[in-house]
């Protein structure tokens, strides 16, 4: 997939956990050869939930792991012990992530921190045989299987937004630094105005993930349109932290203090609020530094000071994220489809489609007369038999439901 520098897009496969199976079990009592049914229910499989999280900056994690699956439910046991539910799987994505089906239909737009989309339902747990006790069925010898979790391919897309911007005079080493700490590969050269347009790079360091922007160098008068930087200051507007990169080996001998003054001046003239933004001031080219500088220094070439720089920047970004006000978030819960329909297979057999009907035949042992009687009874009550008759089914016709094939028997209804 051709990638724009500013858009992150992935395809992923999400699967809810399977439901646990119900148990077939009978109470053991000293004087009763076969006590009442006491098979417990299987646990529900976990759901897969995609949730916007301001601490995540990109969809990079999906490149390593496009397949995600929630935990399955545990099987039921005797003594009416129910299986534990599988844990939900919550997948963090950046704010602004758009969730689409594989066909491109928009399913959810996760704008703000906490917005969530239930992407794949976990399967229901099967009922244990204790649930099938009735006057007519004193010793049910069947239980339900767990339901498979839903599986969906989704397309996630997000416009990358800079968490931090590298601000510096031309030739300060901004592009060299972003190349050293991310996959961004802007052009690097030993003359000013090498970078003509902004580049974004995703940085992952320790537990931090953030987007860093490399913008063209700023010069005096940038806010009035001199040089190139002004056109790109809008990339700085959204940044949570501003990194002021000062050239410690400036060829024109500009002192770090002088550079900092120019940069702060231009930022403030462009937009006074930028001066309230957290700033990290750092000196570049430490390996060949000629200027005195007391602050944090790094060399993008030797790597000296880079880890400390990333740790500090990561913490500042995390603090800024944590300080952002909570907004109301929403959760898109897709209701699972109910009902069923009857269609014709290519070979003329009838097929009953629908979760509710398919659950009825998901029994551990469909071959027992008792289980079959249960299935017929349920279908009569649900109106499935009538629907088949209306669709034209005749005695002896094949009826498929889920993985099961049955013979149509004309009922009395
Ligand atoms: N020795 C040394 N040279 C560096 C370091 N960082 C950058 N340089 C050199 O400095 C020059 C400018 O680097 P760039 O990364 O292109 O600087 P820039 O700030 O992106 O420049 P503009 O895009 O023009 O604003 C290049 O020749 C780099 O090789 C460093 O840490 N050590
Ligand atoms: Mg550059």
């Amino acid at each position: 997939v051709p990638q724009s520098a500013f858009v992150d897009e992935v395809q992923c496969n999400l699967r809810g956990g399977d439901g646990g199976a119900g148990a077939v079990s009978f109470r053991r009592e000293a004087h009763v050869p076969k006590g009442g049914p006491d098979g417990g229910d299987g646990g529900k499989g976990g759901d897969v939930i995609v949730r916007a999280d301001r601490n995540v900056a990109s969809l990079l994690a999906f490149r390593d792991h496009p397949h995600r699956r929630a935990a399955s439910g545990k099987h039921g046991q005797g003594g009416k012990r129910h299986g534990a539910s599988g844990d939900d799987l919550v997948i963090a994505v950046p704010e602004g992530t758009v969730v689409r089906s594989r066909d491109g239909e928009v399913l959810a737009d996760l704008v703000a921190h906490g917005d969530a989309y239930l992407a794949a339902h976990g399967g229901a747990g099967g009922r244990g045989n204790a649930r099938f006790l009735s006057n007519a069925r004193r010793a049910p010898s069947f239980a339900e299987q767990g339901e498979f979790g839903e599986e969906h391919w989704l397309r996630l897309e997000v416009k990358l937004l800079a968490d931090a911007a590298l601000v510096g005079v031309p030739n300060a080493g901004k592009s060299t630094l972003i190349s050293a700490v991310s996959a961004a590969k802007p052009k690097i050269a030993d003359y000013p105005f090498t970078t003509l347009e902004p580049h974004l790079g995703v940085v992952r360091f320790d537990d931090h993930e953030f987007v860093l922007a490399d913008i063209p160098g700023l010069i005096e008068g940038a806010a009035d349109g001199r040089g190139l930087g002004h056109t790109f200051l809008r990339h700085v507007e959204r940044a949570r932290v501003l990194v002021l990169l000062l050239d410690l080996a400036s060829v024109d001998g500009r002192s770090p203090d002088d550079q900092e003054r120019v940069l702060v001046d231009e930022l403030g003239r462009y937009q006074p609020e930028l001066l309230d933004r957290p700033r990290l001031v750092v000196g570049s080219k430490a390996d060949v530094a000629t200027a005195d500088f007391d602050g944090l220094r790094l060399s993008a070439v030797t790597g000296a000071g880079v880890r400390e720089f990333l740790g500090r920047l990561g913490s500042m970004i995390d603090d800024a994220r944590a300080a952002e006000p909570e907004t109301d978030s929403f959760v898109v819960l897709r209701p699972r489809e109910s009902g069923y329909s009857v269609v014709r297979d290519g070979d003329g057999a009838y097929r009953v489609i629908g979760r509710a009907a398919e659950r009825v035949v998901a029994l551990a042992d469909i071959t027992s007369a008792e289980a079959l009687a249960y299935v017929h009874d349920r279908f009569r009550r649900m109106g499935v038999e009538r629907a088949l008759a209306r669709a034209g089914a005749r005695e002896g016709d094949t009826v498929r439901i889920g993985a099961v094939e049955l013979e149509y028997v004309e009922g009395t209804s």
Side-chain angles (χ1 to χ4, degrees), residues 121 150 334-340 353-358:
H121 286 272
E150 280 183 333
R334 282 175 314 110
R336 297 201 68 173
E337 109 285 322
S338 59
Y340 58 87
I353 301 176
R355 184 176 176 230
E358 284 163 22

Side-chain angles (χ1 to χ4, degrees), residues 38-209:
D38 70 353
D41 302 340
K44 181 189 170 299
D47 297 330
V48 180
I49 295 155
V50 179
R51 184 157 71 197
D53 186 327
R54 61 170 69 112
N55 296 304
V56 174
S58 78
L59 300 171
L60 219 56
F62 285 95
R63 298 208 191 282
D64 309 330
H65 302 287
H67 291 264
R68 305 294 184 91
R69 183 167 186 184
S72 292
K74 295 273 190 290
H75 299 323
Q77 293 180 39
K80 288 199 180 155
R81 275 171 300 168
H82 300 320
S85 299
D87 287 336
D88 292 342
L89 176 66
V90 179
I91 301 175
V93 296
E95 291 174 319
T97 297
V98 178
V99 181
R100 293 173 191 273
S101 68
R102 213 157 33 166
D103 309 329
E105 184 198 347
V106 174
L107 304 173
D109 192 352
L110 308 177
V111 178
H113 184 77
D115 290 349
Y117 174 69
L118 202 166
H121 286 272
R127 288 175 295 170
N129 70 335
R131 302 266 186 202
F132 295 95
L133 178 68
S134 70
N135 285 334
R137 228 173 8 239
R138 303 311 301 170
S141 61
F142 59 91
E144 276 175 336
Q145 293 174 322
E147 183 186 31
F148 288 126
E150 280 183 333
E151 178 183 355
H152 293 295
W153 278 96
L154 294 180
R155 262 167 47 191
L156 305 179
E157 190 183 297
V158 68
K159 260 203 202 92
L160 293 180
L161 283 178
D163 293 295
L166 288 174
V167 181
V169 298
N171 214 44
K174 303 178 292 296
S175 300
T176 308
L177 180 55
I178 201 174
S179 324
V181 299
S182 78
K185 290 288 165 265
K187 187 175 168 198
I188 293 166
D190 65 348
Y191 50 83
F193 302 117
T194 304
T195 301
L196 301 175
E197 56 189 35
H199 290 262
L200 298 183
V202 179
V203 179
R204 298 168 98 186
F205 179 74
D206 283 351
D207 290 335
H208 309 291
E209 189 187 72

Side-chain angles (χ1 to χ4, degrees), residues 72-382:
S72 292
K74 295 273 190 290
H75 299 323
Q77 293 180 39
K80 288 199 180 155
R81 275 171 300 168
H82 300 320
S85 299
D87 287 336
D88 292 342
L89 176 66
V90 179
I91 301 175
V93 296
E95 291 174 319
T97 297
V98 178
V99 181
R100 293 173 191 273
S101 68
R102 213 157 33 166
D103 309 329
E105 184 198 347
V106 174
L107 304 173
D109 192 352
L110 308 177
V111 178
H113 184 77
D115 290 349
Y117 174 69
L118 202 166
H121 286 272
R127 288 175 295 170
N129 70 335
R131 302 266 186 202
F132 295 95
L133 178 68
S134 70
N135 285 334
R137 228 173 8 239
R138 303 311 301 170
S141 61
F142 59 91
E144 276 175 336
Q145 293 174 322
E147 183 186 31
F148 288 126
E150 280 183 333
E151 178 183 355
H152 293 295
W153 278 96
L154 294 180
R155 262 167 47 191
L156 305 179
E157 190 183 297
V158 68
K159 260 203 202 92
L160 293 180
L161 283 178
D163 293 295
L166 288 174
V167 181
V169 298
N171 214 44
K174 303 178 292 296
S175 300
T176 308
L177 180 55
I178 201 174
S179 324
V181 299
S182 78
K185 290 288 165 265
K187 187 175 168 198
I188 293 166
D190 65 348
Y191 50 83
F193 302 117
T194 304
T195 301
L196 301 175
E197 56 189 35
H199 290 262
L200 298 183
V202 179
V203 179
R204 298 168 98 186
F205 179 74
D206 283 351
D207 290 335
H208 309 291
E209 189 187 72
F210 55 87
V211 174
L212 188 60
D214 168 29
I215 60 169
L218 283 187
I219 56 169
E220 233 155 358
D224 305 321
R226 284 190 63 210
L228 294 165
H230 69 287
T231 24
F232 308 111
L233 279 173
R234 64 192 169 80
H235 285 271
V236 172
E237 279 173 47
R238 309 280 286 272
R240 291 169 161 125
V241 176
L242 304 180
V243 177
L244 269 46
L245 191 68
L246 310 180
D247 191 342
L248 302 188
S250 166
V251 281
D252 51 17
R254 259 218 150 136
S255 76
D257 278 354
D258 212 27
Q259 295 175 44
E260 185 175 350
R261 190 188 49 74
V262 169
L263 298 174
V264 170
D265 225 49
E266 294 305 324
L267 289 171
R269 283 187 343 117
Y270 177 76
Q271 203 180 80
E273 299 89 83
L274 286 178
L275 298 181
D276 302 329
R277 216 54 73 77
R279 288 203 289 267
L280 179 58
V281 181
V282 54
S284 69
K285 309 185 189 174
D287 55 311
V288 291
T290 51
D292 281 342
F293 183 67
D294 284 341
L296 181 64
R297 354 162 112 226
L298 62 79
S299 166
V301 168
T302 66
V306 170
R307 291 179 64 83
E308 193 186 343
F309 162 69
L310 291 180
R312 278 213 221 169
L313 180 56
S315 299
M316 288 176 76
I317 291 169
D318 287 350
D319 290 348
R321 285 168 172 164
E324 280 160 25
E326 294 292 328
T327 51
D328 287 338
S329 53
F330 64 84
V331 179
V332 179
L333 295 167
R334 282 175 314 110
R336 297 201 68 173
E337 109 285 322
S338 59
Y340 58 87
S341 54
V342 175
V343 298
R344 233 32 212 282
D345 270 353
D347 60 358
Y350 293 84
R351 178 173 287 280
V352 182
I353 301 176
R355 184 176 176 230
E358 284 163 22
R359 284 304 290 150
V360 175
V361 298
L363 299 174
D365 177 15
I366 193 94
T367 59
S368 82
E370 199 182 17
L372 271 174
Y374 163 78
V375 168
H376 278 290
D377 187 44
R378 283 295 299 151
F379 280 169
R380 196 157 37 240
R381 285 161 194 260
M382 289 171 66

